[in-house]
Amino acid sequence: MTVGGGGGTAGVTSGKKRQRVGSNSRLSSTIGIIDSSRPDNNLTERSQKPSGIRRTSSHTVIPSSSTAAGAAAAGCGGFNDSSTADVVLRLFVDQLPLFDTDDSESISAVDSDQSDVQIYLHSDIIRRCKYFAALLSDRWQKESNDVVDSRNSSRTFRLNLGVPSTPGSIDHHLTVLQLLYTNDFSTTINTVSIALCLLPVALELIFEDCIKACVRFLEAVPWTEDEERKILNFAPFLGKEESQELLARVSTDENNSSEEMLHGLILSALHNHPNMAFAKAFVAKLLRDFSSKEAAKRVLDRAFMSSLKIVKESLEDYSSPDFRGDHNETEAIQRLNLHTAMTNGRHLLWLLERMIELRVADAAVQEWSNQASFTADLLRALRDDAWRNIVPGLPAVVLRCTCKLANAVAAGTILATRQVRMKLVKDWLPVLILCKDNVTPMMPSHKTVYVELEDTFLRIISTLTLPDAQELLQQCLSFSTRNVDDCPHLVGAFTTWFRRANRSPM
């Protein structure tokens, strides 16, 4: 009496979710024969081996193992116990590799000593796999027009199961079949590689307990990038609940999660991390390597606007105080405002350096060039001597921010419109002049910033129309020094303007 069914592939080959029912497409190439007479326990094979496959050895008989508690309770023998088995399963390599290679060499590379094995199993045990349950069901036998010898009720099933020609394929099938008897999942599934080898076999045979054990292990341990890729390939064949935890690790429904993560890292590096220098360097690398330049721009713009707002509000509160309290309380609040402005000014400088490095500072330049009220508050604050003992580096920090942006504009790294270039110089030139004239004593590093910004402003002025350049150059006389030869940048700027102004109309 013949039982027939589908398959031929031990791996997962469909892009659809696995349907766990009492049948499987795998049954179509598996042949089972019920032998009603069994006088000598010798079963004859009646199925044809697939043509075109050269196996390196004939049937290899697997040694039997001790009977598991569950099998003993059911009155069955152990794994591969021929004396009590009612199922003889032949495992063989029946799939050619994807590439054109010699069949014998391919199979030899897979399992040189086990390309065709025969094992003894028990139908009561292997029915835990829905694949075997469907194959051995009465419905399948009836649909196959099976005939049972009424004189002898003893049945023996002969089944053939083809496995793919991948390394260790037969061994992995044997391990899963042994787990039907032992249930020792925690001991067997102890590495990601083992779980990934056994999972496709368990999916093929629809061995639910083994599938759950593999998934449970994979959920709990780290993966390499290659292992993650393999898990993603298996995920579509798992149930929704089974794959939920696995997929939650590698994907999210939130479209902006990467940006939120990056923004949180920037804030942490700027405000919370005790080792700020190392944290900033690490986040700077993440920004450079970030896959989406537009996303990095949005994150940096957001952080820049936040820090700029704090600096502006702090200086506004300092320059226009509205306090009703004793003198000590007022002084403490004013100190706090200056320290807040100084701290966030440093944050602004770091953010601008990252934006210029990534060439995403266009919006920052436009915003920085439209700060008439901010520069007015800054001028009022700098005319007050109180800041000198509290935050002596404040002018240099703010002017460094201006210098970074102005240099990027003058170099063409940021292509700003004429109106933006004009406003950038017009709003920040008074701050530069005040700092140069009134900030004493001047530290060498501050002097370098002032001279660099002077030169950069003059270069930007040279890009403006003659009337705009005339208006701004008249304010630059403070760049002059006792010795005219010490300010060649100023001499060059006026020489250029007069040469252009004296040119005949074109």
Side-chain angles (χ1 to χ4, degrees), residues 265-280:
L265 290 173
I266 290 174
L267 295 183
S268 180
L270 293 178
H271 299 284
N272 302 326
H273 203 278
N275 197 336
M276 190 176 295
F278 291 164
K280 283 182 176 179

Side-chain angles (χ1 to χ4, degrees), residues 22-211:
S23 62
N24 191 307
S25 61
R26 184 75 176 80
L27 300 176
S28 61
S29 69
T30 302
I31 301 176
I33 298 175
I34 302 176
D35 193 342
S36 59
S37 61
R38 210 180 139 198
D40 55 359
N41 290 334
N42 292 326
L43 306 179
T44 60
E45 179 183 345
R46 303 180 190 174
S47 60
Q48 295 294 326
K49 297 178 181 179
S51 61
I53 300 291
R54 306 173 197 166
R55 289 180 293 281
T56 58
S57 62
S58 59
H59 299 312
T60 300
V61 179
I62 306 299
S64 62
S65 63
S66 59
T67 304
C76 299
F79 175 74
N80 202 36
D81 182 359
S82 60
S83 63
T84 59
D86 60 350
V87 176
V88 179
L89 177 65
R90 171 182 166 238
L91 295 176
F92 64 95
V93 176
D94 74 339
Q95 287 182 282
L96 293 175
L98 295 178
F99 303 100
D100 293 332
T101 58
D102 182 75
D103 294 339
S104 60
E105 292 177 358
S106 172
I107 296 175
S108 178
V110 174
D111 278 305
S112 59
D113 59 342
Q114 288 191 164
S115 65
D116 194 326
V117 300
Q118 178 175 288
I119 52 176
Y120 296 89
L121 303 172
H122 304 82
S123 59
D124 289 343
I125 298 295
I126 66 174
R127 278 189 171 94
R128 292 177 62 191
C129 296
K130 292 183 180 179
Y131 167 76
F132 288 124
L135 188 62
L136 301 175
S137 67
D138 292 339
R139 175 186 175 187
W140 179 262
Q141 296 171 28
K142 292 177 182 178
E143 290 179 354
S144 303
N145 298 319
D146 297 331
V147 178
V148 180
D149 190 345
S150 58
R151 296 170 298 176
N152 193 331
S153 60
S154 176
R155 294 178 177 176
T156 298
F157 296 88
R158 278 189 173 276
L159 308 177
N160 294 334
L161 182 60
V163 302
S165 56
T166 54
S169 182
I170 285 184
D171 288 336
H172 302 151
H173 279 73
L174 291 174
T175 300
V176 171
L177 292 172
Q178 283 181 297
L179 287 173
L180 286 167
Y181 287 79
T182 65
N183 284 325
D184 193 9
F185 298 110
S186 60
T187 302
T188 303
I189 306 172
N190 54 16
T191 67
V192 175
S193 60
I194 291 176
L196 290 176
C197 289
L198 301 188
L199 181 57
V201 180
L203 287 167
E204 173 201 11
L205 301 179
I206 317 182
F207 184 6
E208 298 285 358
D209 291 340
C210 188
I211 293 170

Side-chain angles (χ1 to χ4, degrees), residues 64 138 144 148 155 240 243 251 306 312 314 340 428 445 478:
S64 62
D138 292 339
S144 303
V148 180
R155 294 178 177 176
K240 182 177 180 180
S243 63
S251 63
S306 176
K312 291 169 61 177
S314 299
T340 302
W428 288 97
S445 59
S478 61

Side-chain angles (χ1 to χ4, degrees), residues 380-455:
R380 281 195 293 270
L382 295 179
R383 290 190 182 104
D384 183 3
D385 291 337
W387 63 269
R388 297 177 187 273
N389 297 324
I390 302 173
V391 283
L394 179 61
V397 167
V398 177
L399 288 181
R400 278 197 180 96
C401 293
T402 308
C403 192
K404 293 287 183 182
L405 290 172
N407 274 327
V409 170
T413 305
I414 302 172
L415 299 180
T417 64
R418 180 173 63 87
Q419 289 78 10
V420 170
R421 299 196 304 272
M422 171 74 177
K423 285 282 291 176
L424 180 63
V425 177
K426 187 175 182 178
D427 284 357
W428 288 97
L429 183 56
V431 178
L432 172 60
I433 294 172
L434 179 65
C435 289
K436 183 178 179 182
D437 293 343
N438 296 339
V439 174
T440 55
M442 184 183 296
M443 297 176 63
S445 59
H446 295 178
K447 184 176 181 179
T448 302
V449 173
Y450 300 154
V451 173
E452 182 181 357
L453 191 52
E454 284 180 7
D455 181 65

Side-chain angles (χ1 to χ4, degrees), residues 212-224:
K212 292 176 182 177
C214 290
V215 171
R216 191 182 310 116
F217 183 86
L218 293 174
E219 288 175 357
V221 297
W223 314 324
T224 65

